[in-house]
Amino acid sequence: MSDLTLLLQHLAHTPAVLVTVRSTRGSTPREAGAWMAVFADTTIATVGGGRLEWEAIAHARHLLQEPNVATDRVRYALGPSLGQCCGGDVVLQFECVQASDAPRLCNALAELRTPVALFGGGHVGRALVQVLLHLPVDITWIDSRDEIFPGGLPANVCCEHSDPVQAAVADLAPQSRVLILSFSHAEDLDVVAACLARQRTRGDLPYVGLIGSKTKWASFRQRLEARGFTEAELSHVTCPIGVPGIADKRPEVIAVAVAAQILQVAG
């Protein structure tokens, strides 16, 4: 469940103070736009933790007791006044909110979400979904096999059966990060080829990642060259996938390494 959903659920029953990072200077724990909701007995999300957050929560709860104060803005110098090593400055805005503010908050706090297309419902695919569903991404999870997807998935995971599996590439959301890890090398090859063909004409898939070894990619490269793809086009494929330096092959470890690499990809 997202932080925004939790905020709206709590806000339906009791008011809160919305704390938003308005601006920053120097080294700070969170970026401008980060937010936290403070209720009388709980908090949702974070503006960076530590003494800064402790001070922000105390100030927000003071405002909850002051109905005549609707908004406030406070500058915090992290080094000298709070004893935090960041050393920068943060300006926090405090705004009293209630249930009637829900529509406005939905628009103001909605995250920019990155589309991720995941081909393959096996062990690594399942582990990846478990990691990615906690990130600001929308996942399209695709497989050619029936009844491969688990139940009880959250709203940001859309499961799709596609046979042939590469047919789904044409309908992926623009700017999708594509992860290819099906049960079949033949399927993997066809999905890579479909992604490269789309990239050739539309240029809207900033990341195409293929699970496997350097040996697997060498074999795929030869076959894709035979299909007419150029060296420049083939260089767009990342294989092996995941941030370098992690040798562990357990699905959960691969999933963390791949999720980190996805977060590094510029749009």
Side-chain angles (χ1 to χ4, degrees):
M1 187 177 296
S2 71
D3 288 336
L4 178 56
T5 300
L6 286 172
L7 166 60
L8 297 178
Q9 287 183 351
H10 281 72
L11 203 60
H13 304 286
T14 184
V17 170
L18 179 67
V19 184
T20 308
V21 178
R22 300 306 304 173
S23 64
T24 65
R25 184 180 64 84
S27 179
T28 59
R30 290 298 305 273
E31 69 286 352
W35 61 271
M36 170 179 66
V38 179
F39 293 84
D41 59 355
T42 192
T43 65
I44 296 170
T46 178
V47 291
R51 182 66 181 271
L52 170 66
E53 189 158 300
W54 186 86
E55 294 276 359
I57 292 171
H59 187 62
R61 288 189 171 142
H62 172 72
L63 293 180
L64 282 174
Q65 305 303 317
E66 297 287 340
N68 295 325
V69 180
T71 62
D72 192 14
R73 188 171 290 196
V74 181
R75 174 184 172 272
Y76 295 88
L78 300 181
S81 65
L82 298 184
Q84 293 190 208
C85 296
C86 298
D89 294 342
V90 177
V91 175
L92 298 182
Q93 177 170 299
F94 297 80
E95 178 187 5
C96 296
V97 292
Q98 54 190 349
S100 60
D101 295 306
R104 177 176 61 83
L105 294 176
C106 282
N107 291 328
L109 302 181
E111 292 180 297
L112 294 176
R113 304 183 68 83
T114 299
V116 173
L118 174 58
F119 288 85
H123 295 303
V124 178
R126 290 177 179 236
L128 259 168
V129 167
Q130 290 303 309
V131 173
L132 292 173
L133 63 81
H134 299 290
L135 303 179
V137 302
D138 288 321
I139 305 166
T140 302
W141 196 4
I142 305 154
D143 202 290
S144 63
R145 297 168 291 178
D146 292 318
E147 300 178 354
I148 192 67
F149 302 113
L153 293 169
N156 65 325
V157 182
C158 176
C159 297
E160 180 179 331
H161 174 262
S162 180
D163 189 8
V165 68
Q166 68 271 18
V169 171
D171 295 326
L172 297 180
Q175 302 305 311
S176 287
R177 281 65 166 159
V178 183
L179 295 164
I180 304 164
L181 30 94
S182 81
F183 71 98
S184 161
H185 281 202
E187 282 198 351
D188 284 350
L189 181 64
D190 286 339
V191 175
V192 173
C195 289
L196 290 177
R198 171 167 168 163
Q199 188 67 8
R200 176 183 287 176
T201 59
R202 297 166 61 178
D204 64 351
L205 300 177
Y207 176 91
V208 177
L210 170 67
I211 197 169
S213 63
K214 293 180 180 179
T215 302
K216 176 181 177 179
W217 177 236
S219 174
F220 272 41
R221 177 184 289 275
Q222 290 182 344
R223 298 180 187 184
L224 292 163
E225 286 175 344
R227 296 192 187 191
F229 293 105
T230 66
E231 180 70 23
E233 289 173 323
L234 294 174
S235 68
H236 188 66
V237 178
T238 298
C239 182
I241 52 175
V243 293
I246 299 176
D248 197 315
K249 301 299 183 183
R250 285 175 290 180
E252 297 80 8
V253 177
I254 295 173
V256 172
V258 172
Q261 190 171 61
I262 288 292
L263 292 175
Q264 292 175 335
V265 179

mmCIF file with all atom_site columns, all heavy atoms in Angstrom, residues 177-189:
data_model
loop_
_atom_site.group_PDB
_atom_site.id
_atom_site.type_symbol
_atom_site.label_atom_id
_atom_site.label_alt_id
_atom_site.label_comp_id
_atom_site.label_asym_id
_atom_site.label_entity_id
_atom_site.label_seq_id
_atom_site.pdbx_PDB_ins_code
_atom_site.Cartn_x
_atom_site.Cartn_y
_atom_site.Cartn_z
_atom_site.occupancy
_atom_site.B_iso_or_equiv
_atom_site.pdbx_formal_charge
_atom_site.auth_seq_id
_atom_site.auth_comp_id
_atom_site.auth_asym_id
_atom_site.auth_atom_id
_atom_site.pdbx_PDB_model_num
ATOM 1   N N   . ARG A 1 177 ? 11.155 0.416   -19.050 1.00 0.00 ? 177 ARG A N   1
ATOM 2   C CA  . ARG A 1 177 ? 12.393 -0.314  -18.817 1.00 0.00 ? 177 ARG A CA  1
ATOM 3   C C   . ARG A 1 177 ? 12.049 -1.789  -18.979 1.00 0.00 ? 177 ARG A C   1
ATOM 4   O O   . ARG A 1 177 ? 11.178 -2.296  -18.270 1.00 0.00 ? 177 ARG A O   1
ATOM 5   C CB  . ARG A 1 177 ? 12.933 -0.053  -17.425 1.00 0.00 ? 177 ARG A CB  1
ATOM 6   C CG  . ARG A 1 177 ? 13.676 1.279   -17.268 1.00 0.00 ? 177 ARG A CG  1
ATOM 7   C CD  . ARG A 1 177 ? 12.823 2.494   -17.455 1.00 0.00 ? 177 ARG A CD  1
ATOM 8   N NE  . ARG A 1 177 ? 13.529 3.689   -16.966 1.00 0.00 ? 177 ARG A NE  1
ATOM 9   C CZ  . ARG A 1 177 ? 13.231 4.905   -17.338 1.00 0.00 ? 177 ARG A CZ  1
ATOM 10  N NH1 . ARG A 1 177 ? 12.240 5.137   -18.194 1.00 0.00 ? 177 ARG A NH1 1
ATOM 11  N NH2 . ARG A 1 177 ? 13.892 5.928   -16.855 1.00 0.00 ? 177 ARG A NH2 1
ATOM 12  N N   . VAL A 1 178 ? 12.701 -2.478  -19.891 1.00 0.00 ? 178 VAL A N   1
ATOM 13  C CA  . VAL A 1 178 ? 12.325 -3.849  -20.243 1.00 0.00 ? 178 VAL A CA  1
ATOM 14  C C   . VAL A 1 178 ? 13.313 -4.828  -19.639 1.00 0.00 ? 178 VAL A C   1
ATOM 15  O O   . VAL A 1 178 ? 14.536 -4.695  -19.812 1.00 0.00 ? 178 VAL A O   1
ATOM 16  C CB  . VAL A 1 178 ? 12.277 -4.031  -21.771 1.00 0.00 ? 178 VAL A CB  1
ATOM 17  C CG1 . VAL A 1 178 ? 11.817 -5.448  -22.116 1.00 0.00 ? 178 VAL A CG1 1
ATOM 18  C CG2 . VAL A 1 178 ? 11.344 -3.000  -22.409 1.00 0.00 ? 178 VAL A CG2 1
ATOM 19  N N   . LEU A 1 179 ? 12.787 -5.826  -18.939 1.00 0.00 ? 179 LEU A N   1
ATOM 20  C CA  . LEU A 1 179 ? 13.588 -6.895  -18.358 1.00 0.00 ? 179 LEU A CA  1
ATOM 21  C C   . LEU A 1 179 ? 13.137 -8.211  -18.971 1.00 0.00 ? 179 LEU A C   1
ATOM 22  O O   . LEU A 1 179 ? 11.951 -8.553  -18.917 1.00 0.00 ? 179 LEU A O   1
ATOM 23  C CB  . LEU A 1 179 ? 13.412 -6.924  -16.843 1.00 0.00 ? 179 LEU A CB  1
ATOM 24  C CG  . LEU A 1 179 ? 13.945 -5.693  -16.109 1.00 0.00 ? 179 LEU A CG  1
ATOM 25  C CD1 . LEU A 1 179 ? 13.380 -5.626  -14.699 1.00 0.00 ? 179 LEU A CD1 1
ATOM 26  C CD2 . LEU A 1 179 ? 15.459 -5.724  -16.068 1.00 0.00 ? 179 LEU A CD2 1
ATOM 27  N N   . ILE A 1 180 ? 14.080 -8.952  -19.534 1.00 0.00 ? 180 ILE A N   1
ATOM 28  C CA  . ILE A 1 180 ? 13.758 -10.169 -20.285 1.00 0.00 ? 180 ILE A CA  1
ATOM 29  C C   . ILE A 1 180 ? 14.393 -11.351 -19.573 1.00 0.00 ? 180 ILE A C   1
ATOM 30  O O   . ILE A 1 180 ? 15.620 -11.494 -19.544 1.00 0.00 ? 180 ILE A O   1
ATOM 31  C CB  . ILE A 1 180 ? 14.274 -10.060 -21.733 1.00 0.00 ? 180 ILE A CB  1
ATOM 32  C CG1 . ILE A 1 180 ? 13.696 -8.809  -22.401 1.00 0.00 ? 180 ILE A CG1 1
ATOM 33  C CG2 . ILE A 1 180 ? 13.915 -11.305 -22.526 1.00 0.00 ? 180 ILE A CG2 1
ATOM 34  C CD1 . ILE A 1 180 ? 14.417 -8.402  -23.665 1.00 0.00 ? 180 ILE A CD1 1
ATOM 35  N N   . LEU A 1 181 ? 13.558 -12.208 -18.990 1.00 0.00 ? 181 LEU A N   1
ATOM 36  C CA  . LEU A 1 181 ? 14.060 -13.363 -18.241 1.00 0.00 ? 181 LEU A CA  1
ATOM 37  C C   . LEU A 1 181 ? 13.020 -14.478 -18.273 1.00 0.00 ? 181 LEU A C   1
ATOM 38  O O   . LEU A 1 181 ? 12.588 -14.971 -17.234 1.00 0.00 ? 181 LEU A O   1
ATOM 39  C CB  . LEU A 1 181 ? 14.433 -12.953 -16.812 1.00 0.00 ? 181 LEU A CB  1
ATOM 40  C CG  . LEU A 1 181 ? 13.650 -11.805 -16.167 1.00 0.00 ? 181 LEU A CG  1
ATOM 41  C CD1 . LEU A 1 181 ? 12.484 -12.301 -15.349 1.00 0.00 ? 181 LEU A CD1 1
ATOM 42  C CD2 . LEU A 1 181 ? 14.558 -10.970 -15.318 1.00 0.00 ? 181 LEU A CD2 1
ATOM 43  N N   . SER A 1 182 ? 12.651 -14.884 -19.472 1.00 0.00 ? 182 SER A N   1
ATOM 44  C CA  . SER A 1 182 ? 11.637 -15.919 -19.625 1.00 0.00 ? 182 SER A CA  1
ATOM 45  C C   . SER A 1 182 ? 12.239 -17.299 -19.360 1.00 0.00 ? 182 SER A C   1
ATOM 46  O O   . SER A 1 182 ? 13.445 -17.449 -19.141 1.00 0.00 ? 182 SER A O   1
ATOM 47  C CB  . SER A 1 182 ? 11.042 -15.867 -21.034 1.00 0.00 ? 182 SER A CB  1
ATOM 48  O OG  . SER A 1 182 ? 11.886 -16.520 -21.965 1.00 0.00 ? 182 SER A OG  1
ATOM 49  N N   . PHE A 1 183 ? 11.394 -18.311 -19.427 1.00 0.00 ? 183 PHE A N   1
ATOM 50  C CA  . PHE A 1 183 ? 11.842 -19.686 -19.197 1.00 0.00 ? 183 PHE A CA  1
ATOM 51  C C   . PHE A 1 183 ? 12.565 -20.273 -20.404 1.00 0.00 ? 183 PHE A C   1
ATOM 52  O O   . PHE A 1 183 ? 13.148 -21.355 -20.326 1.00 0.00 ? 183 PHE A O   1
ATOM 53  C CB  . PHE A 1 183 ? 10.638 -20.576 -18.848 1.00 0.00 ? 183 PHE A CB  1
ATOM 54  C CG  . PHE A 1 183 ? 9.733  -20.831 -20.022 1.00 0.00 ? 183 PHE A CG  1
ATOM 55  C CD1 . PHE A 1 183 ? 9.835  -22.003 -20.763 1.00 0.00 ? 183 PHE A CD1 1
ATOM 56  C CD2 . PHE A 1 183 ? 8.772  -19.893 -20.401 1.00 0.00 ? 183 PHE A CD2 1
ATOM 57  C CE1 . PHE A 1 183 ? 9.001  -22.239 -21.845 1.00 0.00 ? 183 PHE A CE1 1
ATOM 58  C CE2 . PHE A 1 183 ? 7.938  -20.119 -21.481 1.00 0.00 ? 183 PHE A CE2 1
ATOM 59  C CZ  . PHE A 1 183 ? 8.053  -21.294 -22.205 1.00 0.00 ? 183 PHE A CZ  1
ATOM 60  N N   . SER A 1 184 ? 12.544 -19.558 -21.531 1.00 0.00 ? 184 SER A N   1
ATOM 61  C CA  . SER A 1 184 ? 13.030 -20.106 -22.799 1.00 0.00 ? 184 SER A CA  1
ATOM 62  C C   . SER A 1 184 ? 14.007 -19.145 -23.460 1.00 0.00 ? 184 SER A C   1
ATOM 63  O O   . SER A 1 184 ? 13.701 -17.963 -23.626 1.00 0.00 ? 184 SER A O   1
ATOM 64  C CB  . SER A 1 184 ? 11.829 -20.359 -23.728 1.00 0.00 ? 184 SER A CB  1
ATOM 65  O OG  . SER A 1 184 ? 12.229 -20.473 -25.070 1.00 0.00 ? 184 SER A OG  1
ATOM 66  N N   . HIS A 1 185 ? 15.183 -19.657 -23.874 1.00 0.00 ? 185 HIS A N   1
ATOM 67  C CA  . HIS A 1 185 ? 16.123 -18.816 -24.613 1.00 0.00 ? 185 HIS A CA  1
ATOM 68  C C   . HIS A 1 185 ? 15.533 -18.376 -25.945 1.00 0.00 ? 185 HIS A C   1
ATOM 69  O O   . HIS A 1 185 ? 15.816 -17.258 -26.414 1.00 0.00 ? 185 HIS A O   1
ATOM 70  C CB  . HIS A 1 185 ? 17.434 -19.572 -24.838 1.00 0.00 ? 185 HIS A CB  1
ATOM 71  C CG  . HIS A 1 185 ? 18.329 -19.579 -23.638 1.00 0.00 ? 185 HIS A CG  1
ATOM 72  N ND1 . HIS A 1 185 ? 19.675 -19.798 -23.716 1.00 0.00 ? 185 HIS A ND1 1
ATOM 73  C CD2 . HIS A 1 185 ? 18.060 -19.380 -22.313 1.00 0.00 ? 185 HIS A CD2 1
ATOM 74  C CE1 . HIS A 1 185 ? 20.210 -19.739 -22.506 1.00 0.00 ? 185 HIS A CE1 1
ATOM 75  N NE2 . HIS A 1 185 ? 19.241 -19.499 -21.639 1.00 0.00 ? 185 HIS A NE2 1
ATOM 76  N N   . ALA A 1 186 ? 14.727 -19.220 -26.546 1.00 0.00 ? 186 ALA A N   1
ATOM 77  C CA  . ALA A 1 186 ? 14.093 -18.845 -27.813 1.00 0.00 ? 186 ALA A CA  1
ATOM 78  C C   . ALA A 1 186 ? 13.156 -17.666 -27.616 1.00 0.00 ? 186 ALA A C   1
ATOM 79  O O   . ALA A 1 186 ? 13.131 -16.727 -28.426 1.00 0.00 ? 186 ALA A O   1
ATOM 80  C CB  . ALA A 1 186 ? 13.349 -20.046 -28.402 1.00 0.00 ? 186 ALA A CB  1
ATOM 81  N N   . GLU A 1 187 ? 12.379 -17.696 -26.531 1.00 0.00 ? 187 GLU A N   1
ATOM 82  C CA  . GLU A 1 187 ? 11.503 -16.565 -26.239 1.00 0.00 ? 187 GLU A CA  1
ATOM 83  C C   . GLU A 1 187 ? 12.311 -15.312 -25.930 1.00 0.00 ? 187 GLU A C   1
ATOM 84  O O   . GLU A 1 187 ? 11.978 -14.214 -26.386 1.00 0.00 ? 187 GLU A O   1
ATOM 85  C CB  . GLU A 1 187 ? 10.574 -16.901 -25.060 1.00 0.00 ? 187 GLU A CB  1
ATOM 86  C CG  . GLU A 1 187 ? 9.403  -17.774 -25.419 1.00 0.00 ? 187 GLU A CG  1
ATOM 87  C CD  . GLU A 1 187 ? 8.301  -17.715 -24.373 1.00 0.00 ? 187 GLU A CD  1
ATOM 88  O OE1 . GLU A 1 187 ? 8.503  -17.133 -23.283 1.00 0.00 ? 187 GLU A OE1 1
ATOM 89  O OE2 . GLU A 1 187 ? 7.212  -18.242 -24.662 1.00 0.00 ? 187 GLU A OE2 1
ATOM 90  N N   . ASP A 1 188 ? 13.363 -15.487 -25.142 1.00 0.00 ? 188 ASP A N   1
ATOM 91  C CA  . ASP A 1 188 ? 14.216 -14.342 -24.824 1.00 0.00 ? 188 ASP A CA  1
ATOM 92  C C   . ASP A 1 188 ? 14.710 -13.668 -26.102 1.00 0.00 ? 188 ASP A C   1
ATOM 93  O O   . ASP A 1 188 ? 14.677 -12.439 -26.230 1.00 0.00 ? 188 ASP A O   1
ATOM 94  C CB  . ASP A 1 188 ? 15.425 -14.782 -24.003 1.00 0.00 ? 188 ASP A CB  1
ATOM 95  C CG  . ASP A 1 188 ? 15.093 -15.061 -22.542 1.00 0.00 ? 188 ASP A CG  1
ATOM 96  O OD1 . ASP A 1 188 ? 13.966 -14.741 -22.110 1.00 0.00 ? 188 ASP A OD1 1
ATOM 97  O OD2 . ASP A 1 188 ? 15.970 -15.584 -21.840 1.00 0.00 ? 188 ASP A OD2 1
ATOM 98  N N   . LEU A 1 189 ? 15.179 -14.475 -27.037 1.00 0.00 ? 189 LEU A N   1
ATOM 99  C CA  . LEU A 1 189 ? 15.724 -13.934 -28.286 1.00 0.00 ? 189 LEU A CA  1
ATOM 100 C C   . LEU A 1 189 ? 14.657 -13.173 -29.051 1.00 0.00 ? 189 LEU A C   1
ATOM 101 O O   . LEU A 1 189 ? 14.913 -12.071 -29.573 1.00 0.00 ? 189 LEU A O   1
ATOM 102 C CB  . LEU A 1 189 ? 16.288 -15.069 -29.140 1.00 0.00 ? 189 LEU A CB  1
ATOM 103 C CG  . LEU A 1 189 ? 16.912 -14.655 -30.472 1.00 0.00 ? 189 LEU A CG  1
ATOM 104 C CD1 . LEU A 1 189 ? 18.139 -13.781 -30.259 1.00 0.00 ? 189 LEU A CD1 1
ATOM 105 C CD2 . LEU A 1 189 ? 17.269 -15.887 -31.298 1.00 0.00 ? 189 LEU A CD2 1
#
